[in-house]
Amino acid sequence: MAAVSLRLGDLVWGKLGRYPPWPGKIVNPPKDLKKPRGKKCFFVKFFGTEDHAWIKVEQLKPYHAHKEEMIKINKGKRFQQAVDAVEEFLRRAKGKDQDLTIPESSTVKGMMAGPMAAFKWQPTASEPVKDADPHFHHFLLSQTEKPAVCYQAITKKLKICEEETGSTSIQAADSTAVNGSITPTDKKIGFLGLGLMGSGIVSNLLKMGHTVTVWNRTAEKCDLFIQEGARLGRTPAEVVSTCDITFACVSDPKAAKDVIVSRGGRFLEAPVSGNQQLSNDGMLVILAAGDRGLYEDCSSCFQAMGKTSFFLGEVGNAAKMMLIVNMVQGSFMATIAEGLTLAQVTGQSQQTLLDILNQGQLASIFLDQKCQNILQGNFKPDFYLKYIQKDLRLAIALGDAVNHPTPMAAAANEVYKRAKALDQSDNDMSAVYRAYIH
């Protein structure tokens, strides 16, 4: 898009990542939201969604001048609803001097990430499903028979997040399909569980044109997705029996044993590396193992939810790889916290340490975000501390099983255990910092 002269209050078409231009309005950002450094950009509130984003000026076009062009190239129920919302806004604003707010909708995103494994246990239908946590196990079932699947989801929370591109947004960002739009599979997709991560994944699947049937134990959580174009499954069994591929999420091995059974279907374990923000952005990394044909059938789904995916062979390999990834991440986080506390007690500036690290080879979004959490004393969970400690424990056990030393992970695990003893379990993993200051 060519650069244009724009100002506060203008209606525009804004483009973010691989997604088509979307109608929005230039508005004032929240007072506590910093403007990205670099190229000139405007804060845009999009119609028909709850999405806000900093959009570079070259990715914006005036609404009226390009309306016909955009309507010709963009299709879909959600897009038409957004255009209708603009027109309604204009009708209400006609003849009035005051600014009117954009109608809100119900775009939903969210979730944490974690490892998973394949299970084939028989649940008891009468047993209550335990509350699941946001550290999900992810797996896929392509059905040839009708299994019964039960899942308890948790509450989603939207958050404004800063992307690698410098945009601050809860709009899905660019991912695998960097060379063009995704062609959604013609297979019917089922999704069980609309928790922190499930919400983000389903939202991105719908945005990319997939046919998705959703189920959640708290049925009203489905309503937002139905408005976005999803279909409603009355029971997990109905979802599985009417869909070609079903995604399900549970919290840990014990929960999986309690709630899942597979009869005759193809299976693919698919843990994801990432967090709530990356799930919202469609930037997860998917680690898959199991049925290769099912992996290929899920290609467009993986492109919608993640920036890349890996096929790792037989079932179990993805779960092991996920534990190793989280072992490295958890150990790194403990080292970051150790460095910041050492800087403090030796009279060095923690902010200066972060600035130095951000200019060196360790620079990363993870480093910056977690250090900012510590500097601001904000440990709102993005990846729960208790779950990274769980993965460290499981990774150590994995090492024990093959007689391989894991001394760094063992040391980090002890620090997280102390943090848990200090009631930090339900805070973000960066709260491991508090284990060093008590």
Side-chain angles (χ1 to χ4, degrees):
M1 291 188 178
V4 293
S5 177
L6 297 168
R7 61 183 181 179
L8 187 68
D10 281 355
L11 298 179
V12 294
W13 296 96
K15 182 168 175 53
L16 185 64
R18 72 179 183 277
Y19 295 93
W22 205 264
K25 180 184 177 185
I26 297 176
V27 298
N28 283 317
K31 293 181 180 180
D32 59 348
L33 188 64
K34 295 181 180 179
K35 187 174 183 179
R37 289 173 287 184
K39 295 184 178 181
K40 185 177 180 181
C41 56
F42 289 98
F43 192 71
V44 176
K45 184 173 185 180
F46 292 98
F47 284 84
T49 75
E50 290 177 355
D51 294 346
H52 307 66
W54 286 107
I55 304 295
K56 295 176 182 178
V57 66
E58 60 266 27
Q59 298 297 322
L60 295 170
K61 284 185 177 182
Y63 176 79
H64 294 288
H66 296 274
K67 177 181 173 182
E68 291 187 8
E69 169 193 346
M70 296 303 176
I71 291 177
K72 286 181 180 179
I73 63 175
N74 296 322
K75 305 294 181 183
K77 180 180 178 181
R78 293 183 66 251
F79 177 79
Q80 186 56 54
Q81 289 174 340
V83 174
D84 291 344
V86 180
E87 298 306 311
E88 175 61 23
F89 170 77
L90 291 171
R91 283 193 292 272
R92 291 191 291 116
K94 188 176 182 180
K96 297 181 180 181
D97 294 330
Q98 68 268 31
D99 186 24
L100 298 178
T101 59
I102 296 176
E104 296 288 355
S105 177
S106 55
T107 301
V108 179
K109 308 173 183 71
M111 163 175 164
M112 298 294 298
M116 61 134 309
F119 303 100
K120 292 186 179 180
W121 290 280
Q122 179 72 35
T124 302
S126 60
E127 289 182 351
V129 181
K130 298 180 176 63
D131 287 345
D133 60 48
H135 185 237
F136 292 114
H137 285 231
H138 304 286
F139 48 97
L140 305 162
L141 297 171
S142 179
Q143 292 310 128
T144 56
E145 296 184 23
K146 299 180 180 180
V149 184
C150 298
Y151 172 66
Q152 167 65 22
I154 61 175
T155 306
K156 63 92 183 171
K157 294 182 180 179
L158 293 178
K159 61 179 282 189
I160 293 179
C161 54
E162 186 161 345
E163 302 165 355
E164 291 184 50
T165 59
S167 297
T168 302
S169 171
I170 52 174
Q171 169 83 10
D174 197 13
S175 63
T176 303
V178 292
N179 296 319
S181 298
I182 292 171
T183 300
T185 178
D186 58 1
K187 296 183 180 298
K188 296 177 181 178
I189 305 300
F191 207 97
L192 308 177
L194 303 175
L196 291 179
M197 195 161 186
S199 295
I201 289 177
V202 172
S203 181
N204 283 311
L205 288 172
L206 291 171
K207 282 186 176 182
M208 292 297 101
H210 293 84
T211 300
V212 184
T213 300
V214 296
W215 175 87
N216 194 71
R217 187 174 183 182
T218 306
E220 54 266 26
K221 290 184 181 179
C222 296
D223 295 343
L224 299 173
F225 294 97
I226 302 305
Q227 294 175 26
E228 297 294 325
R231 301 174 181 179
L232 177 64
R234 293 173 296 178
T235 65
E238 179 181 291
V239 174
V240 173
S241 64
T242 59
C243 294
D244 300 302
I245 298 172
T246 296
F247 290 75
C249 306
V250 294
S251 57
D252 53 37
K254 183 181 184 304
K257 292 179 182 179
D258 290 340
V259 304
I260 202 71
V261 58
S262 173
R263 300 195 194 103
R266 294 182 295 160
F267 180 84
L268 185 74
E269 60 174 358
V272 297
S273 178
N275 54 21
Q276 180 180 352
Q277 172 183 330
L278 295 176
S279 175
N280 295 345
D281 295 344
M283 294 289 283
L284 297 169
V285 176
I286 297 102
L287 310 181
D291 190 289
R292 182 61 189 245
L294 181 53
Y295 172 76
E296 294 172 354
D297 288 343
C298 292
S299 175
S300 71
C301 297
F302 289 160
Q303 289 175 20
M305 67 179 73
K307 65 179 179 180
T308 191
S309 64
F310 295 86
F311 183 75
L312 302 176
E314 64 183 20
V315 169
N317 287 343
K320 292 174 185 176
M321 184 66 80
M322 191 72 256
L323 285 178
I324 296 169
V325 169
N326 284 351
M327 178 190 76
V328 172
Q329 181 174 260
S331 299
F332 182 45
M333 181 68 251
T335 300
I336 293 171
E338 188 172 297
L340 286 172
T341 51
L342 183 59
Q344 183 180 45
V345 299
T346 57
Q348 306 304 306
S349 165
Q350 292 180 322
Q351 181 62 59
T352 300
L353 172 60
L354 173 57
D355 293 341
I356 293 170
L357 292 173
N358 274 335
Q359 293 301 314
Q361 293 179 322
L362 294 179
S364 65
I365 291 178
F366 177 83
L367 171 72
D368 186 62
Q369 288 178 340
K370 298 309 180 185
C371 285
Q372 291 297 344
N373 287 355
I374 293 171
L375 295 177
Q376 297 168 15
N378 176 16
F379 298 107
K380 181 179 178 181
D382 186 45
F383 195 125
Y384 282 86
L385 184 144
K386 60 186 176 184
Y387 298 128
I388 197 68
Q389 189 273 325
K390 178 194 71 174
D391 282 355
L392 280 167
R393 172 172 51 81
L394 292 174
I396 293 168
L398 179 63
D400 288 343
V402 294
N403 197 31
H404 182 77
T406 52
M408 300 299 104
N413 186 48
E414 293 303 313
V415 183
Y416 282 98
K417 285 162 62 177
R418 172 159 175 74
K420 287 177 64 177
L422 294 170
D423 296 324
Q424 301 302 310
S425 290
D426 292 322
N427 282 333
D428 185 72
M429 63 186 294
S430 54
V432 70
Y433 172 81
R434 289 178 171 166
Y436 289 98
I437 60 176
H438 288 84

